[in-house]
Amino acid sequence: MNRTRTPAPAPSLPDGAGAPEWDEGLECWVVADPRLARQVLNHPGFASGTFARSFQLYMSEASREEYRALTDFLRLWFVQTDAPEHTALRRPVQRIMSASYVRSLAPRVEEIVDACLDDLAAARPHDVMPTVADGISGKVMAHVVGVDEEPAVLHRWSRALSLFIGAMYRRDHAERAHTAMEEMAEALSRASAPAAFPRDTPLDRARTTATWAMNLFGGLETTASLLGSVVLTALGDRAVWDAIRAEREGAAEALVETVLVARPPLRHLGRVVAYDQEVAGSLLKEGDLVLVSLTGDGLLAEEDGPAAPPAGCPVTGAGADTAAGSGRPEQHLVFGHGPHYCVGAPLARLEAAVLLRRFAKRFPDARLTGEAAVWGPNLSYVGLDHLYVDLGV
């Protein structure tokens, strides 16, 4: 855990906001109100090293020892650090994933989407998840990171890790995640993007591998979930589908934002209380886990409460409506808030918007089949296992 030398004042509870609540079953605090959540995610009193604390709480001593390589690997993910370490580790990744770089990827993303739609047309039955959602997210991340593995392999790794993160007490999850980590590290040792990062010392090499494993993981599972959900939502609403088919300006981008708020791929983020503090009459003790809801009440308006999703550039957000009188865009919490805001958010938005437009152009008469959606079992990462469609051709 990263400790703050001088404790900052505890977050203040906005008028009418819900206070943190202790969940006996999860043995942690839950922050559900988005106004308080925004403060917690940007407050030095709440540290990011949740994996280390979770290993202590949810893994046996024997399991921690047996899978020490796995737990050490996950501790090195820079999302598990705070400033100044987090700032230094994040900066080079943020430069690579800049808005200009993501814009430059648009033609390649379109090629990948078209190839995956070819795969969907050839598949029987027409299941969007393995061919399109997994295919697009996997091929895009393989291109970005510079690995040769197929999407099915990349997603096998990411799902093994996500299952372990969601249920660390299960030894079978730990075993599969450990295998995935070893295979991922070997692939990354040959990848092009990590080659430009520090490798001088064993710690440099371990941190570089962990950083790119985290980037690869982040661009697979949650993005595939988003891609499946936007297709499900579009085909389930005729008016929305008609607007996308008609190539109405901003229709695809608006739907992406709607889905992000209504069905976020990740439901919550974790934090660890860095020092004893009182929030709204509740005493939060150093070391307590905190789950911060990313769903809350949806979009966070500065003045008037939840508002309609903004339509704008899927990469930069330019053109989005702003809160009345504030001059700032509405902001939801799905990609986090503050210094830990997701560096891959522009790329995920781009992939989803491109998919909607190309799907509608290729299969304008597509529709959902009966019992089309089969949801996965993971409670932390919300996504479909299958999405069956009739392509109408």
Side-chain angles (χ1 to χ4, degrees), residues 68-105:
R68 183 173 299 278
L70 173 63
T71 58
D72 287 347
F73 165 76
L74 291 172
R75 283 191 185 98
L76 287 175
W77 287 16
F78 71 72
V79 294
Q80 292 294 302
T81 64
D82 293 300
E85 184 181 12
H86 173 264
T87 306
L89 293 172
R90 175 189 173 97
R91 186 177 294 116
V93 177
Q94 193 163 343
R95 283 199 297 266
I96 289 175
M97 297 297 290
S98 67
S100 60
Y101 171 70
V102 173
R103 282 194 296 269
S104 76
L105 287 177

Side-chain angles (χ1 to χ4, degrees), residues 11 35 49 59 102-103 139 149 152 158 179 235 275 284 297 301 305 313 333 340 357 364-365 374 388:
R35 291 166 292 176
M59 295 179 73
V102 173
R103 282 194 296 269
K139 290 179 180 181
E149 279 66 23
S158 68
T179 299
L235 293 181
Y275 45 78
L284 280 61
D297 294 328
C313 174
L333 289 175
H340 284 268
R357 286 193 288 266
D365 298 320
V374 179
Y388 299 108

Side-chain angles (χ1 to χ4, degrees), residues 108-123 126-140 150-151 227 351 355 358-359 362-363 391:
R108 179 61 181 141
V109 171
E110 290 178 351
E111 292 175 0
I112 289 172
V113 169
D114 288 343
C116 290
L117 293 177
D118 288 342
D119 293 339
L120 177 65
H126 303 302
D127 186 353
V128 169
M129 296 312 297
T131 54
V132 174
D134 289 359
I136 293 170
S137 56
K139 290 179 180 181
V140 169
E150 292 297 315
L227 298 179
E351 291 176 56
L355 170 59
R358 308 297 278 196
F359 197 111
R362 176 76 177 272
F363 306 116
L391 297 178

Side-chain angles (χ1 to χ4, degrees), residues 4-326:
T4 305
R5 293 180 181 177
T6 303
S12 59
L13 192 68
D15 290 342
E21 295 185 4
W22 178 258
D23 188 295
E24 290 289 347
L26 296 174
E27 296 184 78
C28 69
W29 294 97
V30 176
V31 174
D33 192 285
R35 291 166 292 176
L36 182 59
R38 183 163 50 178
Q39 291 189 58
V40 169
L41 291 174
N42 200 25
H43 192 284
F46 296 87
S48 302
T50 54
F51 285 169
R53 185 63 176 135
S54 297
F55 299 151
Q56 295 173 344
L57 291 174
Y58 303 129
M59 295 179 73
S60 68
E61 185 176 349
S63 187
R64 289 200 303 272
E65 184 61 33
E66 183 176 358
Y67 296 105
R68 183 173 299 278
L70 173 63
T71 58
D72 287 347
F73 165 76
L74 291 172
R75 283 191 185 98
L76 287 175
W77 287 16
F78 71 72
V79 294
Q80 292 294 302
T81 64
D82 293 300
E85 184 181 12
H86 173 264
T87 306
L89 293 172
R90 175 189 173 97
R91 186 177 294 116
V93 177
Q94 193 163 343
R95 283 199 297 266
I96 289 175
M97 297 297 290
S98 67
S100 60
Y101 171 70
V102 173
R103 282 194 296 269
S104 76
L105 287 177
R108 179 61 181 141
V109 171
E110 290 178 351
E111 292 175 0
I112 289 172
V113 169
D114 288 343
C116 290
L117 293 177
D118 288 342
D119 293 339
L120 177 65
R124 296 294 185 277
H126 303 302
D127 186 353
V128 169
M129 296 312 297
T131 54
V132 174
D134 289 359
I136 293 170
S137 56
K139 290 179 180 181
V140 169
M141 289 311 299
H143 175 79
V144 169
V145 180
V147 295
D148 296 327
E149 279 66 23
E150 292 297 315
V153 174
L154 299 179
H155 278 282
R156 175 170 59 80
W157 295 343
S158 68
R159 283 173 185 147
L161 290 171
S162 69
L163 286 171
F164 171 70
I165 292 169
M168 294 177 177
Y169 55 87
R170 289 186 49 167
R171 290 178 62 86
D172 58 336
H173 287 350
E175 181 178 358
R176 293 189 188 99
H178 186 271
T179 299
M181 173 207 68
E182 292 180 324
E183 294 177 2
M184 186 181 288
E186 198 281 327
L188 289 169
S189 71
R190 298 179 274 103
S192 58
F197 278 60
R199 292 178 178 269
D200 295 337
T201 69
L203 179 58
D204 285 339
R205 291 190 291 274
R207 198 178 290 284
T208 290
T209 298
T211 293
W212 281 99
M214 182 200 73
N215 291 333
L216 188 59
F217 172 82
L220 291 168
E221 215 56 18
T222 52
T223 302
S225 172
L226 174 62
L227 298 179
S229 290
V230 296
V231 173
L232 173 65
T233 304
L235 293 181
D237 188 321
R238 178 51 56 180
V240 169
W241 186 237
D242 287 345
I244 294 171
R245 289 196 306 173
E247 301 182 19
R248 189 173 302 161
E249 184 178 0
E253 289 78 11
L255 178 60
V256 172
E257 296 305 310
T258 297
V259 171
L260 282 168
V261 174
R263 194 177 289 124
L266 185 64
R267 294 182 180 182
H268 55 257
L269 290 175
R271 289 292 183 266
V272 183
V273 179
Y275 45 78
D276 292 357
Q277 55 189 296
E278 185 175 323
V279 180
S282 297
L283 178 60
L284 280 61
K285 297 183 178 180
E286 179 179 345
D288 285 351
L289 281 179
V290 181
L291 287 184
V292 182
S293 172
L294 299 181
T295 57
D297 294 328
L299 294 175
L300 299 178
E302 293 293 330
E303 297 181 5
D304 300 323
C313 174
V315 175
T316 66
D321 294 334
T322 55
S326 71

